[in-house]
Amino acid sequence: MQEKYIIKYIEGKSTLSEKKKVLEWIRESESNQNKFNFLKAKYIGQALKEIKNNNNESHYINFSKKIKNKKRYVFSSVGVAVLFLSVLLFWNYQEINNNSYVNSKELIKDKEEEKDLFNEITSNSNEQEVILPDGSIISLNIDSKLIYPKKFKDTIREVTLIGEAFFDIKRNVNKPFIVNANELKIRVLGTSFNVKSYEKDSKIETTLVTGKVELIKDKDTPIVLTPSQKAVFNKAEKKMKIEEVNSSDVIAWREGKLIFNKTSLKDVIKDLERKYQVQFVVSSESLLEYEYTGTFDNLKIKEVLDLLSISSPIKYSIKNEKIILKMK
């Protein structure tokens, strides 16, 4: 931050928005706080020097008249300086605390207003169905969150997804539907599709069931999907690839099924941990890259593990409520 804005704040000449910026800057780091303290001390020192010079000049001019009151005059000079310093320090302390209080109140007010305008639905251990204000239906998978306005704008319908959901969107050519999924925006008019965008996953997957969707990333040209296509966006590499899939397999989770087709064990484990609320421990990194193909149709976790052991070169054991996987 430029020094002139800090000095302006210390002098008490900042606007409300400028004060807010300075206070935010001070709280960012200890070095910013130290710089502020240095400039404040420098400003106070200069102010005291001016007081002293002015008092000396006055003392020189009126010396002959005030020599008899010398002790009282010296005390007055020192007192003025001390009073000035005390008032300035107290003002600065009050200013920071008052602004902190105001900013806190503004933050709380903003959050309360945001809660009044938006709905936030979270599915922890059970799937949930959400009906939006426009009649669109969204099925939330386990461990997912959907944020949407209580009333859509006149020109757009926009929601935010963290996790996985199946969207069945009511068509409205005058109001495009936008899904914010981490680094991607998915734009549709009226269609059905699945989005998988968990925060801890390395990929964002969008699978089109019916209709048409556009995937928008930054200023890139939108990518258009057709039915039974899945777009896989790699977060680390910032790359997108399109795959042909059986869309009914992708959305089988809505019926309690998990269907994998040459899926890395790493991704299989993530889905199992979310669905069954368990924790896996894998003996080696290479095992995580093993590609598994199979279907778990409404099975209990013990049945899943037995089937996994029968249909792959993987064995399991359970210790301290953790499932340990190893190669046979």
Side-chain angles (χ1 to χ4, degrees), residues 102-117:
V102 170
N103 290 339
S104 298
K105 286 184 69 178
E106 288 176 352
L107 185 60
I108 293 170
K109 184 180 178 182
D110 289 343
K111 287 184 176 180
E112 288 176 348
E113 289 178 354
E114 187 176 333
K115 285 182 180 178
D116 290 338
L117 297 174

Side-chain angles (χ1 to χ4, degrees), residues 95-289:
E95 186 72 9
I96 290 177
N97 280 278
N98 287 340
N99 276 282
S100 298
Y101 176 69
V102 170
N103 290 339
S104 298
K105 286 184 69 178
E106 288 176 352
L107 185 60
I108 293 170
K109 184 180 178 182
D110 289 343
K111 287 184 176 180
E112 288 176 348
E113 289 178 354
E114 187 176 333
K115 285 182 180 178
D116 290 338
L117 297 174
F118 290 86
N119 285 322
E120 185 175 300
I121 307 298
T122 302
S123 59
N124 294 321
S125 56
N126 295 300
E127 298 162 12
Q128 289 197 40
E129 189 172 271
V130 182
I131 300 177
L132 299 183
D134 66 338
S136 296
I137 300 173
I138 300 177
S139 301
L140 276 181
N141 202 348
I142 293 169
D143 194 24
S144 301
K145 182 187 294 185
L146 181 73
I147 303 169
Y148 64 95
K150 293 182 177 179
K151 183 179 180 181
F152 285 124
K153 297 178 181 178
D154 293 334
T155 58
I156 197 171
R157 297 170 289 169
E158 191 166 9
V159 303
T160 297
L161 172 69
I162 303 170
E164 184 170 21
F166 174 78
F167 294 80
D168 189 1
I169 304 304
K170 188 173 181 180
R171 184 174 177 81
N172 186 337
V173 294
N174 298 316
K175 276 190 180 183
F177 192 95
I178 304 289
V179 180
N180 292 297
N182 200 281
E183 299 177 52
L184 291 182
K185 285 182 179 291
I186 301 145
R187 182 181 184 275
V188 302
L189 293 176
T191 184
S192 59
F193 58 100
N194 194 82
V195 179
K196 190 175 185 181
S197 178
Y198 287 100
E199 287 182 316
K200 293 182 180 180
D201 287 5
S202 60
K203 300 175 294 186
I204 302 173
E205 300 177 358
T206 306
T207 306
L208 182 61
V209 179
T210 64
K212 184 176 74 172
V213 301
E214 290 181 344
L215 302 180
I216 305 167
K217 180 184 146 319
D218 300 328
K219 297 180 181 179
D220 294 349
T221 303
I223 296 173
V224 179
L225 293 185
T226 56
S228 294
Q229 282 189 330
K230 178 168 73 172
V232 181
F233 176 71
N234 187 301
K235 294 179 184 178
E237 298 177 0
K238 309 295 183 185
K239 292 181 180 179
M240 184 96 69
K241 69 176 181 177
I242 309 299
E243 302 175 355
E244 298 292 334
V245 296
N246 185 338
S247 57
S248 60
D249 288 352
V250 176
I251 63 173
W253 60 265
R254 299 175 65 204
E255 301 171 358
K257 301 178 184 178
L258 289 177
I259 300 176
F260 302 104
N261 183 22
K262 293 183 178 180
T263 306
S264 70
L265 188 63
K266 181 179 181 180
D267 291 334
V268 171
I269 286 173
K270 286 179 181 177
D271 284 343
L272 293 178
E273 285 182 329
R274 279 190 281 259
K275 181 175 177 61
Y276 295 101
Q277 304 293 296
V278 294
Q279 185 177 354
F280 283 85
V281 177
V282 180
S283 62
S284 66
E285 288 292 325
S286 59
L287 183 57
L288 291 173
E289 301 306 318

Side-chain angles (χ1 to χ4, degrees), residues 28-42:
E28 280 179 2
S29 67
E30 188 177 348
S31 61
N32 289 356
Q33 178 70 64
N34 292 336
K35 182 177 180 181
F36 174 78
N37 291 338
F38 172 78
L39 291 173
K40 181 176 67 176
K42 182 179 178 182

